[in-house]
Amino acid sequence: MLSPILLERLRVWWRVARAQGKMLDGGWLFPGLNPVELLSARQLNRAIHLAPEQARIEKRVPAATGS
């Protein structure tokens, strides 16, 4: 279950992404480089490790574990 705040933020993202043409009809909430396909685990892992670097956070980000 999602918190009401997270659900609202995802709805805003959905509306903005569709308005900007970043999301196809019936597409993924988080599309990959090819908008027809979902975001890959590798793309997500790169984003997770790039975010603290861009935010200048020096604490190490642990590797994502698969389930």
Side-chain angles (χ1 to χ4, degrees), residues 5-27:
I5 293 171
L6 179 56
L7 181 58
E8 180 56 29
R9 288 183 181 174
L10 289 173
R11 284 181 174 148
V12 168
W13 158 245
W14 177 261
R15 286 191 296 269
V16 169
R18 287 190 46 87
Q20 293 178 353
K22 294 180 179 179
M23 196 172 300
L24 303 175
D25 288 338

Side-chain angles (χ1 to χ4, degrees), residues 1-60:
M1 294 187 63
L2 301 175
S3 72
I5 293 171
L6 179 56
L7 181 58
E8 180 56 29
R9 288 183 181 174
L10 289 173
R11 284 181 174 148
V12 168
W13 158 245
W14 177 261
R15 286 191 296 269
V16 169
R18 287 190 46 87
Q20 293 178 353
K22 294 180 179 179
M23 196 172 300
L24 303 175
D25 288 338
W28 298 94
L29 180 59
F30 299 104
L33 294 175
N34 178 347
V36 176
E37 297 176 4
L38 72 152
L39 186 70
S40 72
R42 185 173 182 181
Q43 290 168 323
L44 179 59
N45 194 13
R46 284 182 182 167
I48 288 170
H49 285 86
L50 185 59
E53 180 180 314
Q54 290 182 340
R56 297 185 179 150
I57 297 172
E58 295 181 14
K59 186 174 180 181
R60 181 183 171 276

